[in-house]
Amino acid sequence: MASRATIEEVAAAAGVSRSTVSRVVNGSTAVSPEALHAVQSAIAELNYVPNRAARSLASRQTHAIALIVPEDTTRFFGDPFFASIVAGITGALGGSDYLLNLLIATGDPGDKMTSFVRNGGVDGALIVSHHTSDAFVERIADAVPVVWGGRPLHQRPSEYVVDVDNASAARMATQHLIDTGRTRIATITGPRTMLASVDRLQGFRSALADAGLEPFAETAGDYSEASGAEAARRLLAAGRPDAIFAASDLMARGALRMLSAKGLRVPDDVAIVGFDDSQVALSTDPQLTTVRQPMYAMGETMAGVLLSRLAGNEPPEVTILPTELVVRGSA
């Protein structure tokens, strides 16, 4: 994707000063008709989108930011991950003048969400749970300052990301299963359209390779409990693993439910490790061994980075938060 045109490039193309372009962008009437026409023509030719962060003190600010979640409502309201993210964001915004707008859509049908953001509905955006097919989020990132929860597919210079090291975390979870003597280890991944899922699969494979083991099986879910149960059914149809690494706690709970229905004991027959350490991990019997990622801190940090950008500061472009393995009864 081509880099976004700058205000300096617009000024050069229009043959005017940077301040003249700024006045046009901000709706000032202190511009001659000739200069106005030249700037508007240059903006159209270069497809220039104003950088709202550069106007952090301008009166045109909305004092609103968007949390953009390219998922359907069933997934959003059914996964504790999102509740923790939202709690962290609202915690960070509590001492600011900014309000949070929640925008949930799969694929942004009709470009309603994109148009709302690009037409000045918010000053900036936080984007989580994005898929490789979600092209609309890149158009949003071209329009307003954005902070990504998890790295985007096409990470460009000067993009701001808050994430965990998913590959290292998955490697840690798989290594725990290896250390407990398991050798027929399967995984239930998230959607391969999400880079977090790809990284967790890579960490799983890496741990097995270093131990001289091959994956027993790999099958994908969509991070939901139902998909975890269905993935476990497929695994059992192909043979019986002695351990499963599931890329979310919800999928781990679904897998545990399926194993129980098939008369298998956890962890005696099949050990399970999840990912997230949400409240789901405490709701199973036995309770889940899982990777704890700091979901509240992720939301809080994302919002803090965006607020810093909107204030005209230069926060770190990449923030990697720590994970840890929490050992309970399932493995």
Side-chain angles (χ1 to χ4, degrees), residues 94-316:
S96 76
D97 293 329
Y98 284 86
L99 295 173
L100 180 65
N101 290 353
L102 178 60
L103 304 179
I104 307 172
T106 302
D108 194 11
D111 272 353
K112 290 189 296 184
M113 180 188 301
T114 307
S115 296
F116 172 75
V117 173
R118 291 177 66 92
N119 290 334
V122 296
D123 295 331
L126 308 169
I127 302 176
V128 299
S129 200
H130 40 281
H131 301 249
T132 55
S133 58
D134 294 323
F136 76 93
V137 296
E138 294 193 7
R139 299 199 298 277
I140 288 173
D142 284 337
V144 297
V146 159
V147 177
W148 301 84
R151 61 191 176 94
L153 174 63
H154 303 296
Q155 188 171 347
R156 298 168 290 183
S158 301
E159 287 196 313
Y160 292 77
V161 177
V162 177
D163 204 356
V164 298
D165 187 338
N166 284 286
S168 176
R171 181 185 177 90
M172 175 172 57
T174 307
Q175 187 62 50
H176 174 73
L177 293 170
I178 295 168
D179 290 344
T180 59
R182 311 292 170 148
T183 58
R184 303 190 311 280
I185 306 175
T187 186
I188 302 173
T189 75
R192 307 291 175 87
T193 58
M194 302 181 73
L195 290 185
S197 303
V198 173
D199 287 346
R200 291 173 196 179
L201 176 58
Q202 185 258 317
F204 166 80
R205 290 172 173 172
S206 176
L208 290 179
D210 286 352
L213 298 173
E214 293 287 335
F216 180 81
E218 299 172 355
T219 187
D222 63 7
Y223 287 128
S224 70
E225 182 171 346
S227 75
E230 172 57 23
R233 186 196 64 75
R234 292 195 300 269
L235 290 175
L236 294 175
R240 200 191 82 188
D242 61 10
I244 297 172
F245 165 55
S248 79
D249 287 347
L250 277 173
M251 292 196 299
R253 185 166 70 180
L256 195 155
R257 178 161 51 83
M258 179 58 65
L259 292 171
S260 178
K262 298 293 186 180
L264 297 171
R265 299 166 297 163
V266 174
D268 296 354
D269 298 320
V270 183
I272 298 180
V273 175
F275 200 107
D276 285 335
D277 196 31
S278 63
Q279 287 300 309
V280 170
L282 301 177
S283 70
T284 61
D285 183 18
Q287 293 183 343
L288 283 176
T289 293
T290 186
V291 174
R292 175 180 294 158
Q293 63 170 334
M295 297 171 287
Y296 182 96
M298 182 177 291
E300 184 178 45
T301 304
M302 289 172 62
V305 170
L306 183 57
L307 290 176
S308 181
R309 293 191 66 195
L310 293 173
N313 300 321
E314 296 184 3

Side-chain angles (χ1 to χ4, degrees), residues 49-108:
V49 179
N51 184 342
R52 298 177 67 87
R55 298 182 278 147
S56 61
L57 298 179
S59 60
R60 294 166 68 92
Q61 277 193 312
T62 65
H63 289 289
I65 67 172
L67 171 60
I68 296 173
V69 185
E71 300 284 359
D72 61 34
T73 54
T74 300
R75 168 138 156 68
F76 179 82
F77 290 107
D79 192 332
F81 171 84
F82 295 111
S84 296
I85 291 286
V86 171
I89 293 169
T90 55
L93 296 182
S96 76
D97 293 329
Y98 284 86
L99 295 173
L100 180 65
N101 290 353
L102 178 60
L103 304 179
I104 307 172
T106 302
D108 194 11

